Amino acid sequence: MGGAFLAAAVLARTGGRIGLPTIPLFILAGILLGPHTPGVVLVSDPHDLEMLSALGLVLLLFYLGLEFHLDDLKAGGRRMALAGGAYLALNVGAGLGFGFALGWGTSEALVLAGVLGISSSAIVTKVLVDTGRLGNPETRPVLGIIVVEDVFLALYLAALQPILSGADSLAAALVDGGKAFGFLLLLALAARFGTRLVGRLMATRDDELLVISFLGAAVFVAGVSEWFGVADAIGAFMVGLMLGSTSSGKRILSLVHPLRDAFGAMFFFAFGLSIDPGDLPSVLWPVLLAVLVTLCMNVVAGLAAARVYRFGPGPAANIATTLLARGEFALILATMAAGAGLDERLSPFIAGYVLLLAVLGPLAAGRSHWLARVLPGRKGGGGPGGDETGGAGRTEPVSLVKAGAH
């Protein structure tokens, strides 16, 4: 563990001097020091860091919930659903078509629809933090799309599981989907009506007790969410959503910051451990084609979301590039596909696809102003968040400044 932290830190510090984002460097550290590459092997079994990795994902999404206040959901529910629905229709639809075009099979195509269609919540969160865009107007649709995606993937996994396992019971699939949806509804009602009670339970002047309390709440609800068939990350997100609206919200935001950074790095490091570079050449061309499809669909989806929110080309470019990366959900699908005995090319394909977009996503997000120059729309006053350079400039998140986190 100590070696993993230090290796991630050294690579990230070295890359930071030449302007590289930290996410692909953390992943690279996992690849170089994992069991699939020659040389020093710090972690021979990726499962050894499984709990740390899960905690990193939970804290990243908990932090995201703290930033995404209930007022944002109330004010933009309809537009959020439109933007999220458009994003899913374009990307999941393109993924399904791409899967059938490869000719690997129907079950494989359904898996690829999810792989190509769902963004990485963890990487998107880290990109927003690293680029200082949490306070930007276009961040609301980005976060809204993530919420819609998380709701979709909970239902998608529940529906896909009986297909991959060969189950022929539609009733069982409906029960699993209903259980997941019911728990999501319960979390939403708790976030809507239980904030005052939760605030009273969390209220304390002692920072130590506050850290233990919010950490316990986030991890506990994440675990219960997983038991109900809902992604653990969405459970942590909902806890953050509730706590962010309490009187302790700003203190929690400041206290969780170092925890998020430390364990988030372990999430990406553990992701790198699971990748075997030797499997990638056999699926190189399908991976490159899939990346090209995703790039095109994200640009179209970014423009669609910008139109819904009446943004200009700058925010549209920010939305398209921020949501580009794929990650944890794709890896879950790869594991399910391997367990179901599907085409053996799926696992290396998913690994190569996710790795390439995990590298390209943060790089593209930091240079979204290049894309903004060629997108249609008014360059000067393209809606909220637009500016003369395409709206891709760096804006410090207001709540982080107030909390003293930057």
Side-chain angles (χ1 to χ4, degrees), residues 177-199:
K179 185 172 68 171
F181 183 78
F183 186 71
L184 284 171
L185 182 61
L186 181 64
L187 286 177
L189 290 173
R192 175 66 180 86
F193 300 107
T195 302
R196 183 173 299 180
L197 175 61
V198 171

PDB file of all heavy atoms in Angstrom, residues 177-199:
ATOM      1  N   GLY A 177     -35.088  -5.260 -10.983  1.00  0.00           N
ATOM      2  CA  GLY A 177     -35.196  -3.875 -11.413  1.00  0.00           C
ATOM      3  C   GLY A 177     -36.089  -3.060 -10.497  1.00  0.00           C
ATOM      4  O   GLY A 177     -35.782  -1.906 -10.180  1.00  0.00           O
ATOM      5  N   GLY A 178     -37.200  -3.651 -10.059  1.00  0.00           N
ATOM      6  CA  GLY A 178     -38.096  -2.943  -9.142  1.00  0.00           C
ATOM      7  C   GLY A 178     -37.459  -2.674  -7.795  1.00  0.00           C
ATOM      8  O   GLY A 178     -37.667  -1.608  -7.200  1.00  0.00           O
ATOM      9  N   LYS A 179     -36.664  -3.634  -7.327  1.00  0.00           N
ATOM     10  CA  LYS A 179     -35.973  -3.441  -6.045  1.00  0.00           C
ATOM     11  C   LYS A 179     -34.975  -2.293  -6.136  1.00  0.00           C
ATOM     12  O   LYS A 179     -34.911  -1.443  -5.234  1.00  0.00           O
ATOM     13  CB  LYS A 179     -35.254  -4.745  -5.662  1.00  0.00           C
ATOM     14  CG  LYS A 179     -34.598  -4.714  -4.288  1.00  0.00           C
ATOM     15  CD  LYS A 179     -34.079  -6.092  -3.894  1.00  0.00           C
ATOM     16  CE  LYS A 179     -32.918  -6.525  -4.758  1.00  0.00           C
ATOM     17  NZ  LYS A 179     -32.273  -7.773  -4.250  1.00  0.00           N
ATOM     18  N   ALA A 180     -34.227  -2.245  -7.231  1.00  0.00           N
ATOM     19  CA  ALA A 180     -33.256  -1.165  -7.411  1.00  0.00           C
ATOM     20  C   ALA A 180     -33.956   0.187  -7.523  1.00  0.00           C
ATOM     21  O   ALA A 180     -33.551   1.168  -6.894  1.00  0.00           O
ATOM     22  CB  ALA A 180     -32.406  -1.426  -8.663  1.00  0.00           C
ATOM     23  N   PHE A 181     -35.026   0.239  -8.330  1.00  0.00           N
ATOM     24  CA  PHE A 181     -35.739   1.500  -8.507  1.00  0.00           C
ATOM     25  C   PHE A 181     -36.379   1.951  -7.200  1.00  0.00           C
ATOM     26  O   PHE A 181     -36.378   3.146  -6.875  1.00  0.00           O
ATOM     27  CB  PHE A 181     -36.804   1.338  -9.586  1.00  0.00           C
ATOM     28  CG  PHE A 181     -37.545   2.608  -9.880  1.00  0.00           C
ATOM     29  CD1 PHE A 181     -36.974   3.599 -10.663  1.00  0.00           C
ATOM     30  CD2 PHE A 181     -38.819   2.820  -9.371  1.00  0.00           C
ATOM     31  CE1 PHE A 181     -37.643   4.778 -10.930  1.00  0.00           C
ATOM     32  CE2 PHE A 181     -39.501   3.986  -9.629  1.00  0.00           C
ATOM     33  CZ  PHE A 181     -38.912   4.978 -10.415  1.00  0.00           C
ATOM     34  N   GLY A 182     -36.938   1.010  -6.428  1.00  0.00           N
ATOM     35  CA  GLY A 182     -37.552   1.361  -5.150  1.00  0.00           C
ATOM     36  C   GLY A 182     -36.555   1.961  -4.173  1.00  0.00           C
ATOM     37  O   GLY A 182     -36.858   2.927  -3.472  1.00  0.00           O
ATOM     38  N   PHE A 183     -35.345   1.396  -4.147  1.00  0.00           N
ATOM     39  CA  PHE A 183     -34.341   1.939  -3.232  1.00  0.00           C
ATOM     40  C   PHE A 183     -33.877   3.311  -3.687  1.00  0.00           C
ATOM     41  O   PHE A 183     -33.639   4.203  -2.865  1.00  0.00           O
ATOM     42  CB  PHE A 183     -33.152   0.983  -3.126  1.00  0.00           C
ATOM     43  CG  PHE A 183     -32.133   1.404  -2.103  1.00  0.00           C
ATOM     44  CD1 PHE A 183     -32.421   1.328  -0.748  1.00  0.00           C
ATOM     45  CD2 PHE A 183     -30.900   1.892  -2.493  1.00  0.00           C
ATOM     46  CE1 PHE A 183     -31.489   1.729   0.199  1.00  0.00           C
ATOM     47  CE2 PHE A 183     -29.967   2.298  -1.552  1.00  0.00           C
ATOM     48  CZ  PHE A 183     -30.267   2.210  -0.198  1.00  0.00           C
ATOM     49  N   LEU A 184     -33.735   3.505  -5.008  1.00  0.00           N
ATOM     50  CA  LEU A 184     -33.385   4.827  -5.527  1.00  0.00           C
ATOM     51  C   LEU A 184     -34.445   5.853  -5.143  1.00  0.00           C
ATOM     52  O   LEU A 184     -34.132   6.987  -4.760  1.00  0.00           O
ATOM     53  CB  LEU A 184     -33.244   4.778  -7.051  1.00  0.00           C
ATOM     54  CG  LEU A 184     -31.965   4.156  -7.603  1.00  0.00           C
ATOM     55  CD1 LEU A 184     -32.080   3.984  -9.107  1.00  0.00           C
ATOM     56  CD2 LEU A 184     -30.748   4.999  -7.262  1.00  0.00           C
ATOM     57  N   LEU A 185     -35.711   5.459  -5.220  1.00  0.00           N
ATOM     58  CA  LEU A 185     -36.792   6.363  -4.843  1.00  0.00           C
ATOM     59  C   LEU A 185     -36.730   6.686  -3.362  1.00  0.00           C
ATOM     60  O   LEU A 185     -36.940   7.836  -2.944  1.00  0.00           O
ATOM     61  CB  LEU A 185     -38.139   5.718  -5.199  1.00  0.00           C
ATOM     62  CG  LEU A 185     -39.390   6.547  -4.922  1.00  0.00           C
ATOM     63  CD1 LEU A 185     -39.366   7.841  -5.730  1.00  0.00           C
ATOM     64  CD2 LEU A 185     -40.651   5.739  -5.239  1.00  0.00           C
ATOM     65  N   LEU A 186     -36.409   5.686  -2.538  1.00  0.00           N
ATOM     66  CA  LEU A 186     -36.277   5.911  -1.101  1.00  0.00           C
ATOM     67  C   LEU A 186     -35.152   6.891  -0.793  1.00  0.00           C
ATOM     68  O   LEU A 186     -35.303   7.797   0.046  1.00  0.00           O
ATOM     69  CB  LEU A 186     -36.019   4.569  -0.398  1.00  0.00           C
ATOM     70  CG  LEU A 186     -35.870   4.612   1.132  1.00  0.00           C
ATOM     71  CD1 LEU A 186     -37.176   5.075   1.773  1.00  0.00           C
ATOM     72  CD2 LEU A 186     -35.486   3.239   1.674  1.00  0.00           C
ATOM     73  N   LEU A 187     -34.023   6.744  -1.477  1.00  0.00           N
ATOM     74  CA  LEU A 187     -32.911   7.674  -1.288  1.00  0.00           C
ATOM     75  C   LEU A 187     -33.299   9.090  -1.709  1.00  0.00           C
ATOM     76  O   LEU A 187     -32.948  10.070  -1.044  1.00  0.00           O
ATOM     77  CB  LEU A 187     -31.694   7.217  -2.093  1.00  0.00           C
ATOM     78  CG  LEU A 187     -30.910   6.006  -1.578  1.00  0.00           C
ATOM     79  CD1 LEU A 187     -29.785   5.663  -2.551  1.00  0.00           C
ATOM     80  CD2 LEU A 187     -30.339   6.267  -0.198  1.00  0.00           C
ATOM     81  N   ALA A 188     -34.025   9.202  -2.822  1.00  0.00           N
ATOM     82  CA  ALA A 188     -34.444  10.516  -3.296  1.00  0.00           C
ATOM     83  C   ALA A 188     -35.390  11.181  -2.302  1.00  0.00           C
ATOM     84  O   ALA A 188     -35.289  12.384  -2.030  1.00  0.00           O
ATOM     85  CB  ALA A 188     -35.117  10.379  -4.665  1.00  0.00           C
ATOM     86  N   LEU A 189     -36.311  10.407  -1.721  1.00  0.00           N
ATOM     87  CA  LEU A 189     -37.241  10.964  -0.727  1.00  0.00           C
ATOM     88  C   LEU A 189     -36.492  11.386   0.541  1.00  0.00           C
ATOM     89  O   LEU A 189     -36.804  12.413   1.137  1.00  0.00           O
ATOM     90  CB  LEU A 189     -38.314   9.923  -0.386  1.00  0.00           C
ATOM     91  CG  LEU A 189     -39.330   9.624  -1.495  1.00  0.00           C
ATOM     92  CD1 LEU A 189     -40.233   8.464  -1.093  1.00  0.00           C
ATOM     93  CD2 LEU A 189     -40.172  10.867  -1.796  1.00  0.00           C
ATOM     94  N   ALA A 190     -35.497  10.586   0.936  1.00  0.00           N
ATOM     95  CA  ALA A 190     -34.700  10.946   2.113  1.00  0.00           C
ATOM     96  C   ALA A 190     -33.926  12.234   1.867  1.00  0.00           C
ATOM     97  O   ALA A 190     -33.816  13.096   2.745  1.00  0.00           O
ATOM     98  CB  ALA A 190     -33.738   9.804   2.452  1.00  0.00           C
ATOM     99  N   ALA A 191     -33.391  12.385   0.648  1.00  0.00           N
ATOM    100  CA  ALA A 191     -32.662  13.610   0.313  1.00  0.00           C
ATOM    101  C   ALA A 191     -33.590  14.813   0.273  1.00  0.00           C
ATOM    102  O   ALA A 191     -33.198  15.931   0.617  1.00  0.00           O
ATOM    103  CB  ALA A 191     -31.958  13.445  -1.034  1.00  0.00           C
ATOM    104  N   ARG A 192     -34.833  14.567  -0.147  1.00  0.00           N
ATOM    105  CA  ARG A 192     -35.786  15.672  -0.284  1.00  0.00           C
ATOM    106  C   ARG A 192     -36.370  16.105   1.055  1.00  0.00           C
ATOM    107  O   ARG A 192     -36.497  17.305   1.348  1.00  0.00           O
ATOM    108  CB  ARG A 192     -36.910  15.248  -1.241  1.00  0.00           C
ATOM    109  CG  ARG A 192     -38.051  16.250  -1.381  1.00  0.00           C
ATOM    110  CD  ARG A 192     -37.572  17.527  -2.035  1.00  0.00           C
ATOM    111  NE  ARG A 192     -38.650  18.488  -2.179  1.00  0.00           N
ATOM    112  CZ  ARG A 192     -39.019  19.357  -1.252  1.00  0.00           C
ATOM    113  NH1 ARG A 192     -38.378  19.384  -0.072  1.00  0.00           N
ATOM    114  NH2 ARG A 192     -39.997  20.205  -1.466  1.00  0.00           N
ATOM    115  N   PHE A 193     -36.725  15.138   1.915  1.00  0.00           N
ATOM    116  CA  PHE A 193     -37.454  15.474   3.129  1.00  0.00           C
ATOM    117  C   PHE A 193     -36.685  15.209   4.424  1.00  0.00           C
ATOM    118  O   PHE A 193     -37.126  15.632   5.500  1.00  0.00           O
ATOM    119  CB  PHE A 193     -38.773  14.679   3.183  1.00  0.00           C
ATOM    120  CG  PHE A 193     -39.687  14.964   2.027  1.00  0.00           C
ATOM    121  CD1 PHE A 193     -39.863  14.031   1.011  1.00  0.00           C
ATOM    122  CD2 PHE A 193     -40.371  16.170   1.951  1.00  0.00           C
ATOM    123  CE1 PHE A 193     -40.709  14.292  -0.062  1.00  0.00           C
ATOM    124  CE2 PHE A 193     -41.233  16.443   0.884  1.00  0.00           C
ATOM    125  CZ  PHE A 193     -41.390  15.498  -0.122  1.00  0.00           C
ATOM    126  N   GLY A 194     -35.553  14.518   4.351  1.00  0.00           N
ATOM    127  CA  GLY A 194     -34.860  14.153   5.584  1.00  0.00           C
ATOM    128  C   GLY A 194     -33.645  14.982   5.911  1.00  0.00           C
ATOM    129  O   GLY A 194     -32.911  14.662   6.856  1.00  0.00           O
ATOM    130  N   THR A 195     -33.402  16.047   5.139  1.00  0.00           N
ATOM    131  CA  THR A 195     -32.184  16.835   5.319  1.00  0.00           C
ATOM    132  C   THR A 195     -32.097  17.454   6.709  1.00  0.00           C
ATOM    133  O   THR A 195     -31.031  17.452   7.338  1.00  0.00           O
ATOM    134  CB  THR A 195     -32.104  17.944   4.251  1.00  0.00           C
ATOM    135  OG1 THR A 195     -32.135  17.335   2.957  1.00  0.00           O
ATOM    136  CG2 THR A 195     -30.813  18.729   4.396  1.00  0.00           C
ATOM    137  N   ARG A 196     -33.212  17.980   7.220  1.00  0.00           N
ATOM    138  CA  ARG A 196     -33.192  18.641   8.528  1.00  0.00           C
ATOM    139  C   ARG A 196     -32.835  17.648   9.633  1.00  0.00           C
ATOM    140  O   ARG A 196     -32.027  17.942  10.508  1.00  0.00           O
ATOM    141  CB  ARG A 196     -34.559  19.279   8.806  1.00  0.00           C
ATOM    142  CG  ARG A 196     -34.619  20.060  10.112  1.00  0.00           C
ATOM    143  CD  ARG A 196     -35.937  20.802  10.250  1.00  0.00           C
ATOM    144  NE  ARG A 196     -36.112  21.771   9.158  1.00  0.00           N
ATOM    145  CZ  ARG A 196     -37.190  22.543   9.044  1.00  0.00           C
ATOM    146  NH1 ARG A 196     -38.200  22.431   9.907  1.00  0.00           N
ATOM    147  NH2 ARG A 196     -37.260  23.399   8.044  1.00  0.00           N
ATOM    148  N   LEU A 197     -33.437  16.455   9.584  1.00  0.00           N
ATOM    149  CA  LEU A 197     -33.146  15.440  10.603  1.00  0.00           C
ATOM    150  C   LEU A 197     -31.692  14.989  10.512  1.00  0.00           C
ATOM    151  O   LEU A 197     -31.006  14.866  11.540  1.00  0.00           O
ATOM    152  CB  LEU A 197     -34.080  14.239  10.419  1.00  0.00           C
ATOM    153  CG  LEU A 197     -33.830  13.034  11.330  1.00  0.00           C
ATOM    154  CD1 LEU A 197     -33.992  13.437  12.794  1.00  0.00           C
ATOM    155  CD2 LEU A 197     -34.768  11.883  10.974  1.00  0.00           C
ATOM    156  N   VAL A 198     -31.219  14.754   9.305  1.00  0.00           N
ATOM    157  CA  VAL A 198     -29.831  14.333   9.111  1.00  0.00           C
ATOM    158  C   VAL A 198     -28.872  15.401   9.617  1.00  0.00           C
ATOM    159  O   VAL A 198     -27.850  15.108  10.245  1.00  0.00           O
ATOM    160  CB  VAL A 198     -29.564  14.017   7.626  1.00  0.00           C
ATOM    161  CG1 VAL A 198     -28.074  13.787   7.375  1.00  0.00           C
ATOM    162  CG2 VAL A 198     -30.353  12.800   7.189  1.00  0.00           C
ATOM    163  N   GLY A 199     -29.207  16.664   9.363  1.00  0.00           N
ATOM    164  CA  GLY A 199     -28.374  17.766   9.834  1.00  0.00           C
ATOM    165  C   GLY A 199     -28.248  17.780  11.349  1.00  0.00           C
ATOM    166  O   GLY A 199     -27.166  18.036  11.889  1.00  0.00           O
TER     167      GLY A 199
END
